[in-house]
Amino acid sequence: MRGFYIGRYQPFHDGHRHMVEEIAAEVDELVLGIGSAGDSHTTRNPFTAGERVMMVTKAVEELDATTYVVPIEDLDRNSVWVSHVQSMTPRFDVAYSNNPLVVRLFEEAGVEVRQSPMFRRDVLEGTELRERMIRGRDWEDLVPDAVVDVIREVDGVERIRRIAETDSLADEPLDQ
């Protein structure tokens, strides 16, 4: 059986890792969707899709399940979002999510959805991790070592600090 789990992974943290380990115990293969793949260089989405592919791939490589990491760009039409996801990924039998909208969209499309409890959600949340990076607080112990390595390789902490210093338009797309 093949499962599907999507997240923005900005960055991939120990909560994601815990969820992936639980899913991997239930399936033979796992498709990990990198959501909002077209977004980067903002305080909400500081890392590129390629950087997140590296984070996730390296963080899950020792799992006892075949994994496929697939970037998925946003589609601002919820009614066709599931078919968009399905067109971008290998076929999957079950989707995993705790996001109420994602659960609803998959259920409406006839896809089985499974949920699991969040793991240490009080600190294992992307917003908290990004805020810690900006403020120079400890974040490394909340992500897999492989993710720390990728963030250091791309100078991700400096990037998010610089972005956070800019004006309120930092989360707006650049006009080209």
Side-chain angles (χ1 to χ4, degrees):
M1 179 168 64
R2 187 178 298 136
F4 174 76
Y5 176 48
I6 191 166
R8 285 190 4 264
Y9 310 127
Q10 290 279 14
F12 187 86
H13 55 66
D14 288 340
H16 297 129
R17 170 74 183 178
H18 182 78
M19 182 85 160
V20 167
E21 288 171 348
E22 286 192 11
I23 296 168
E26 297 181 13
V27 300
D28 304 306
E29 297 183 341
L30 179 57
V31 180
L32 297 167
I34 304 286
S36 300
D39 295 344
S40 69
H41 292 79
T42 66
T43 53
R44 178 169 159 74
N45 295 293
F47 304 107
T48 68
E51 291 163 350
R52 292 179 280 155
V53 166
M54 287 172 47
M55 287 178 200
V56 174
T57 301
K58 290 179 178 194
V60 303
E61 67 186 355
E62 74 278 355
L63 286 180
D64 191 25
T66 301
T67 57
Y68 308 96
V69 182
V70 181
I72 300 173
E73 291 193 14
D74 285 337
L75 183 68
D76 293 326
R77 291 180 45 217
N78 289 342
S79 63
V80 295
W81 181 78
V82 172
S83 61
H84 169 68
V85 167
Q86 291 170 325
S87 76
M88 302 296 292
T89 62
R91 182 197 55 74
F92 53 88
D93 306 295
V94 59
Y96 292 81
S97 182
N98 288 316
N99 179 301
L101 176 60
V102 171
V103 170
R104 177 70 182 209
L105 295 175
F106 275 120
E107 287 176 344
E108 286 183 4
V111 176
E112 178 187 352
V113 182
R114 296 181 188 169
Q115 295 180 266
S116 70
M118 298 286 204
F119 178 71
R120 293 184 56 206
R121 185 66 173 174
D122 55 325
V123 292
L124 292 177
E125 200 268 330
T127 302
E128 172 69 19
L129 288 168
R130 294 187 302 273
E131 190 67 26
R132 285 175 178 228
M133 290 177 189
I134 291 166
R135 305 248 180 261
R137 294 178 36 226
D138 181 43
W139 59 272
E140 294 96 337
D141 61 336
L142 301 175
V143 301
D145 291 342
V147 173
V148 173
D149 293 344
V150 172
I151 291 172
R152 287 184 178 148
E153 177 184 337
V154 303
D155 203 14
V157 173
E158 177 61 21
R159 177 191 302 163
I160 194 169
R161 285 180 181 161
R162 285 277 179 106
I163 292 165
E165 289 174 359
T166 63
D167 64 19
S168 63
L169 297 179
D171 284 326
E172 298 297 321
L174 296 173
D175 292 325
Q176 299 278 342

